[in-house]
Amino acid sequence: MAHQNPDYRQDTEDLFTSAAFVMDLGIQPVDIRPGEVEARLVVQPRHLQQDGVIHAGVQATLADHTAGAAAFSVVRKGQRVLSTSITVHLLQTASGEELRCKARVLRAGRRLIVTESEVHAVSGGTPRLVSKTTVTLAVMEPR
Amino acid sequence: MAHQNPDYRQDTEDLFTSAAFVMDLGIQPVDIRPGEVEARLVVQPRHLQQDGVIHAGVQATLADHTAGAAAFSVVRKGQRVLSTSITVHLLQTASGEELRCKARVLRAGRRLIVTESEVHAVSGGTPRLVSKTTVTLAVMEPR
């Protein structure tokens, strides 16, 4: 997929470091290409739910933000993206030392961008697909 | 809706305090009735995204966990619930001093419980509906 912003790589990396909630959770970008972004999160005890597995909200945040970054990597300089709907399918319980998320743009329209994210939980070095998410984002013009 | 667990109120309250991620975010139960739970979160700077509004992941976590609590309030003692899909519709950007979530059970089956959550952002004391979420949960037998 083509980018429309010569600074897409740096601008998309900044999308992670300028989002307080993403920094607070410990989500980090791993790879940024036009329309495709990978991110990771080192699992901490504070990310778990009542049964000791990773909270669905952690997965939803990682899937949503990485999808947003993938969408952001293909818009014009100064445009922003904003999620309008998020559908998370939780395939199995998630546990392990790390979450990895790969997001890609399925279609980049002028006003809406549709993306999908896959989250793998890495346990003992072995990744397992734990959730699949579709995120639709609105493209916002510069303020 | 009827409860099947005489301790439903205390057990559902414990579902908030025993979930590390929920405690970490500052989500607190406000009202617990069979099939209907309300929760709140006092917004902190760490809950925001890159444009200064509340991160969709915070809303998704609040909507999912409150829905899970509503489902949990109607299952038998010892049964657990686990989200299998979460669909968040973000209606407008969320900002303000507090998020309020009301979740209710739409249908409680033996194996699946379908719920819906509404999240309001309270700004200057005025609540605005910012997202609507459907969560489907699996009912798990005691381990």
Side-chain angles (χ1 to χ4, degrees):
Chain A
M1 191 162 278
H3 66 77
Q4 301 186 84
N5 170 8
D7 306 323
Y8 80 91
R9 190 180 294 268
Q10 185 60 54
D11 288 357
T12 303
E13 198 172 318
D14 293 347
L15 197 73
F16 286 86
T17 53
S18 64
F21 189 55
V22 166
M23 289 293 282
D24 186 78
L25 257 61
I27 295 170
Q28 301 165 318
V30 172
D31 190 34
I32 295 168
R33 283 174 291 168
E36 289 184 30
V37 172
E38 187 174 349
R40 70 193 283 265
L41 171 147
V42 175
V43 175
Q44 300 167 41
R46 70 187 176 107
H47 295 138
L48 307 182
Q49 46 84 289
Q50 64 281 357
D51 295 317
V53 298
I54 299 165
H55 200 288
V58 174
Q59 293 190 55
T61 302
L62 177 61
D64 169 62
H65 203 83
T66 310
F72 188 66
S73 71
V74 299
V75 299
R76 292 199 304 279
K77 180 93 178 172
Q79 286 183 322
R80 292 167 298 127
V81 296
L82 200 60
S83 300
T84 62
S85 72
I86 306 167
T87 299
V88 188
H89 288 285
L90 298 145
L91 307 173
Q92 52 186 325
T93 54
S95 56
E97 60 270 15
E98 186 179 323
L99 290 182
R100 284 257 177 181
C101 178
K102 283 187 186 185
R104 68 188 184 104
V105 171
L106 296 176
R107 179 168 187 272
R110 273 188 303 167
R111 297 191 180 166
L112 290 178
I113 299 178
V114 182
T115 65
E116 64 174 11
S117 297
E118 290 188 349
V119 174
H120 285 79
V122 183
S123 182
T126 303
R128 290 186 317 148
L129 180 65
V130 291
S131 61
K132 178 110 191 183
T133 300
T134 305
V135 184
T136 300
L137 299 107
V139 178
M140 317 286 281
E141 296 304 320
R143 280 177 286 206
Chain B
M1 190 163 280
H3 66 77
Q4 300 187 84
N5 170 9
D7 307 322
Y8 81 91
R9 190 181 294 267
Q10 184 60 52
D11 288 357
T12 303
E13 197 172 319
D14 293 348
L15 197 74
F16 286 87
T17 54
S18 64
F21 189 55
V22 166
M23 288 294 281
D24 185 79
L25 256 59
I27 294 169
Q28 302 165 318
V30 173
D31 189 34
I32 295 169
R33 283 173 292 168
E36 288 185 29
V37 172
E38 186 174 350
R40 70 192 284 263
L41 170 147
V42 175
V43 175
Q44 301 167 38
R46 69 186 177 108
H47 294 138
L48 307 182
Q49 45 84 292
Q50 64 280 356
D51 296 317
V53 298
I54 299 164
H55 200 289
V58 174
Q59 293 190 56
T61 302
L62 176 61
D64 170 62
H65 202 83
T66 311
F72 188 67
S73 71
V74 298
V75 299
R76 292 198 304 279
K77 180 94 178 169
Q79 286 183 321
R80 292 167 298 127
V81 295
L82 199 61
S83 300
T84 63
S85 72
I86 306 166
T87 299
V88 188
H89 288 285
L90 298 145
L91 307 172
Q92 54 185 324
T93 54
S95 57
E97 59 269 16
E98 186 179 322
L99 290 182
R100 285 259 175 179
C101 179
K102 284 189 186 183
R104 68 188 183 104
V105 171
L106 296 176
R107 180 171 186 269
R110 272 188 307 167
R111 297 188 178 168
L112 290 178
I113 299 177
V114 182
T115 64
E116 65 175 10
S117 297
E118 291 188 348
V119 174
H120 286 79
V122 182
S123 181
T126 304
R128 289 186 319 148
L129 180 65
V130 290
S131 60
K132 178 110 191 184
T133 299
T134 305
V135 184
T136 300
L137 300 106
V139 179
M140 318 287 283
E141 296 304 320
R143 279 177 287 202

